[in-house]
């Protein structure tokens, strides 16, 4: 129940957690699942962030196949405006949907994981620079993926923009400053 989730999530923060991750494909739960509702409630109370896996990935072992749309979390984002929310992978094949959420909500961010140079440039043209985070998807797959994600950001941006995306934005997102 709610109390068990609240205790567990608060314990995680007490032990040093800076945020929570929602991964519907792995969890097999709907966006309104009690555990996710409690993540947002505790994140609001404790000043930590929530990262939501979005986009369509075809991975063996996923409990739910297909894409997870950023808009399916609209109610959580709206009810908890103090929670910093990152739509991981910028909704992969449909980044415009994640970018729309950034423009509708001051507390929403996106990351660059699994995105192209063209998509990162689209994000720079569509949303504020401080809403774009380097996405590495680490420790998934291999180190080459992280190197490639950094290269994509550096190619898509000016050196100043890259510096901000590769470091400053993440520090501010994690710490809430």
């Amino acid at each position: 129940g709610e109390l068990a989730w609240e205790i567990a999530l608060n314990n995680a923060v007490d032990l040093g957690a800076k945020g929570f991750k929602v991964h519907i494909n792995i969890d097999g739960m709907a966006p309104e699942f009690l555990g996710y509702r409690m993540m947002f409630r505790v994140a609001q109370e404790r000043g930590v962030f929530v990262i939501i896996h979005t986009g369509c990935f075809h991975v063996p072992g996923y409990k739910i196949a297909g894409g997870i749309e950023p808009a399916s979390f609209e109610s959580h984002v709206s009810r908890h405006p103090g929670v910093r929310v990152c739509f991981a992978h910028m909704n992969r094949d449909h980044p415009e949907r994640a970018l729309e959420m950034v423009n509708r909500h001051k507390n929403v961010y996106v990351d660059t994981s699994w995105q192209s140079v063209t998509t990162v440039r689209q994000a720079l043209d569509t949303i504020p620079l401080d809403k774009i985070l380097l996405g590495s998807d680490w420790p998934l797959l291999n180190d080459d993926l992280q190197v490639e994600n950094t290269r994509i950001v550096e190619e898509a941006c000016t050196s100043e923009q890259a510096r901000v995306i590769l470091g400053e934005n993440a520090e501010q997102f994690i710490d809430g400053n």
Side-chain angles (χ1 to χ4, degrees):
E2 284 187 20
L3 182 58
W5 277 103
E6 184 175 16
I7 290 169
L9 293 165
N10 274 302
N11 284 342
V13 175
D14 290 343
L15 290 170
K18 299 287 187 178
F20 307 123
K21 178 152 187 187
V22 172
H23 201 310
I24 288 177
N25 298 108
I26 290 176
D27 300 337
M29 303 298 181
E32 288 302 321
F33 168 58
L34 172 63
Y36 301 154
R37 290 196 319 264
M38 294 307 297
M39 282 182 192
F40 274 85
R41 183 185 304 168
V42 171
Q44 178 87 30
E45 293 168 358
R46 300 296 300 269
V48 298
F49 61 82
V50 174
I51 294 178
I52 302 171
H53 171 87
T54 62
C56 188
F57 293 81
H58 301 285
V59 176
Y62 272 4
K63 292 179 182 174
I64 295 178
I68 305 304
E69 288 293 329
S72 66
F73 282 88
E74 183 98 37
S75 62
H76 292 299
V77 171
S78 296
R79 280 194 307 261
H80 301 94
V83 176
R84 298 174 311 284
V85 178
C86 178
F87 289 118
H89 318 302
M90 209 181 300
N91 200 36
R92 193 160 182 200
D93 296 326
H94 295 285
E96 70 281 357
R97 297 174 189 164
L99 300 176
E100 288 170 7
M101 289 288 287
V102 172
N103 284 325
R104 281 200 306 271
H105 301 281
K106 292 181 179 179
N107 57 323
V108 173
Y109 301 73
V110 293
D111 80 29
T112 62
S113 176
W114 293 96
Q115 290 303 331
S116 67
V117 169
T118 301
T119 301
V120 174
R121 286 182 181 148
Q122 175 189 0
L124 287 165
D125 291 339
T126 307
I127 63 174
L129 175 63
D130 66 344
K131 299 296 185 171
I132 305 170
L133 309 170
L134 171 68
S136 67
D137 216 10
W138 188 86
L140 183 67
L141 303 176
N142 58 59
D143 291 339
D144 292 341
L145 180 62
Q146 287 69 48
V147 171
E148 178 67 5
N149 287 330
T150 301
R151 185 201 61 74
I152 286 169
V153 169
E154 289 173 336
E155 185 177 331
C157 303
T158 67
S159 60
E160 177 61 20
Q161 289 169 326
R163 184 185 62 75
V164 171
I165 291 172
L166 295 175
E168 284 180 24
N169 287 352
E171 290 173 8
Q172 292 172 359
F173 180 80
I174 291 168
D175 294 335
N177 298 328

